[in-house]
Amino acid sequence: MKALAKLKAEPGIWQTEVEKPVVGPNDVLIRIKKTAICGTDVHIYKWDEWAQNTIPHGMVVGHEYVGIVEGMGSEVRGFNVGDRVSGEGHITCGYCRNCRAGRVHLCRNTIGVGVNRPGSFAEYLVIPAYNAFKLPDNIPDNIAAIFDPFGNAVHTALSFDLVGEDVLITGAGPIGIMAAAVARHVGARHVVITDVNPYRLDLAMKMGATRAVDVSKQSLKDVMKELGMTEGFDVGLEMSGVPAAFRGMLDTMNHGGKIALLGIPPSDMAIDWNKVIFKGLVIKGIYGREMFETWYKMASLIQSGLDLTPMITHEMPMAEFQQGFDIMCSGQSGKVILNWS
Ligand code: NAD
Ligand code: ZN
């Protein structure tokens, strides 16, 4: 079958032929319809230090997708051939303390689809049936294809009560923008988003941010004054992985504020811990999505009218993957979709 794989230890991704994956007794076989390119795929494409230390030679990449169940192992219950699915990309062990307690997103033995095992940039994908998510009919394919990053946004945004609160989101990447849309949809008051990329700040305004701030041109504190915010943000969602952005967040949080950290800093990150202590801040790290409450909430949010369609700015046949990666690398995009059917 056709697939996109990391065939060389250098920047790039290559189309190749690989064996169709073998279906184990607890697995489903998914025929891929559409995939989206993730920031992680861009790290693998660019072959940064993390990718060099993580990605085995020849790995089939990709983990954001929608497809159709075409087969399943003998032990699988609850799925039928023809079911339309997306899937949770974190494969968990099932036997560690957290898995057995139902806190599966905290599994210490998590393995990543398209990172540690073959991914979805392929005609077929095999995952444990446990990880497959059956899609309600009223969720369009393009939206289903971005459920993985949407789930990062939903998990982070719904970590704290946002109703009537003032929310700061640092980083208007696809995940930050979707978090802004969620915050607005569930009833936050000010949803202020920061970035240094005007294209993405514009998209964030279309998606529900109430104020976009280019921190290379304008100070966040001035914007707060303008908005009449005298005390500070109640909730912070860090979605850039940029140390300066997190420091700016610590400066502008109100006392008793709550912060969820999703963005992955490049290395150790120094902060002024006195701000955390004397403001009495609560900080929560976020990894992936809750299985499967986040997935349930994603479907519900779309069904209750949250519209993610403006997030998908580019779509192309899979054969034009190089152009897709170029667009993602340029930063002049929301989500980019590759069509496999
Ligand atoms: P992205 O790289 O597309 O977005 C990051 C954004 O931050 C970019 O638009 C960039 O211009 C912006 N930025 C740069 N400097 C900034 C500054 N000083 N202030 C504010 N913004 C600034 O990434 P994404 O795909 O939207 O993901 C967001 C973050 O979450 C990344 O760090 C990614 O690695 C991380 N991530 C974490 C998880 C997890 O499970 N914890 C999962 C997926 C992604
Ligand atoms: Zn586990």
Side-chain angles (χ1 to χ4, degrees), residues 92-96 99 107-109:
T92 49
C93 74
Y95 55 76
C96 71
C99 278
C107 174
R108 53 188 293 123
N109 304 310

Side-chain angles (χ1 to χ4, degrees), residues 86-106:
S86 184
E88 170 53 55
H90 287 178
I91 313 267
T92 49
C93 74
Y95 55 76
C96 71
R97 176 182 176 179
N98 282 319
C99 278
R100 289 176 64 95
R103 298 183 293 261
V104 184
H105 64 291
L106 299 176

Side-chain angles (χ1 to χ4, degrees), residues 117-143:
R117 55 180 271 159
S120 59
F121 289 153
E123 287 176 280
Y124 290 93
L125 171 73
V126 163
I127 55 167
Y130 176 79
N131 283 62
F133 182 78
K134 218 188 279 190
L135 292 156
D137 290 341
N138 51 6
I139 311 264
D141 276 350
N142 276 3
I143 303 302

Side-chain angles (χ1 to χ4, degrees), residues 1-289:
M1 64 171 188
K2 266 189 246 146
L4 302 181
K6 196 72 199 179
L7 297 183
K8 297 182 199 169
E10 61 185 60
I13 190 162
W14 294 268
Q15 187 178 331
T16 183
E17 285 288 323
V18 296
E19 294 292 325
K20 197 166 157 182
V22 176
V23 186
N26 294 301
D27 294 338
V28 288
L29 174 71
I30 301 167
R31 179 171 51 78
I32 297 294
K33 289 177 83 178
K34 289 170 187 244
T35 56
I37 302 176
C38 173
T40 302
D41 305 326
V42 172
H43 285 289
I44 297 170
Y45 176 89
K46 289 184 173 164
W47 204 233
D48 67 8
E49 201 180 314
W50 168 83
Q52 291 177 31
N53 292 328
T54 311
I55 304 299
H57 174 79
M59 177 59 70
V60 174
V61 183
H63 57 270
E64 303 180 355
Y65 60 90
V66 59
I68 304 289
V69 173
E70 267 204 4
M72 66 196 76
S74 56
E75 300 305 309
V76 174
R77 303 287 178 274
F79 286 92
N80 291 302
V81 168
D83 283 346
R84 202 168 60 103
V85 294
S86 184
E88 170 53 55
H90 287 178
I91 313 267
T92 49
C93 74
Y95 55 76
C96 71
R97 176 182 176 179
N98 282 319
C99 278
R100 289 176 64 95
R103 298 183 293 261
V104 184
H105 64 291
L106 299 176
C107 174
R108 53 188 293 123
N109 304 310
T110 298
I111 283 177
V113 170
V115 175
N116 313 110
R117 55 180 271 159
S120 59
F121 289 153
E123 287 176 280
Y124 290 93
L125 171 73
V126 163
I127 55 167
Y130 176 79
N131 283 62
F133 182 78
K134 218 188 279 190
L135 292 156
D137 290 341
N138 51 6
I139 311 264
D141 276 350
N142 276 3
I143 303 302
I146 62 170
F147 257 32
D148 174 293
F150 179 41
N152 292 132
V154 169
H155 184 187
T156 313
L158 298 187
S159 284
F160 301 113
D161 181 10
L162 301 183
V163 180
E165 303 291 334
D166 293 338
V167 180
L168 172 65
I169 300 170
T170 47
I175 301 177
I177 298 176
M178 288 191 277
V182 173
R184 194 74 188 136
H185 187 76
V186 303
R189 181 172 56 180
H190 295 301
V191 179
V192 178
I193 191 163
T194 66
D195 205 293
V196 291
N197 174 335
Y199 179 100
R200 286 183 157 178
L201 289 168
D202 280 352
L203 187 55
M205 290 301 289
K206 285 188 196 124
M207 290 295 298
T210 58
R211 183 65 187 254
V213 184
D214 184 338
V215 286
S216 68
K217 300 204 174 81
Q218 207 177 8
S219 107
L220 190 52
K221 284 188 175 157
D222 288 347
V223 171
M224 290 165 73
K225 261 187 222 141
E226 218 181 276
L227 295 174
M229 290 182 57
T230 49
E231 299 199 345
F233 291 99
D234 306 301
V235 176
L237 311 176
E238 206 308 294
M239 304 203 142
S240 72
V242 175
F246 183 40
R247 292 188 200 112
M249 178 177 277
L250 292 172
D251 282 340
T252 51
M253 294 300 293
N254 197 0
H255 289 230
K258 300 180 177 76
I259 294 178
L261 288 180
L262 179 94
I264 302 170
S267 57
D268 290 4
M269 171 165 74
I271 60 164
D272 179 358
W273 283 97
N274 282 322
K275 292 199 173 120
V276 178
I277 295 162
F278 291 110
K279 286 188 175 189
L281 300 178
V282 173
I283 301 183
K284 178 187 178 191
I286 305 281
Y287 183 48
R289 299 140 296 272

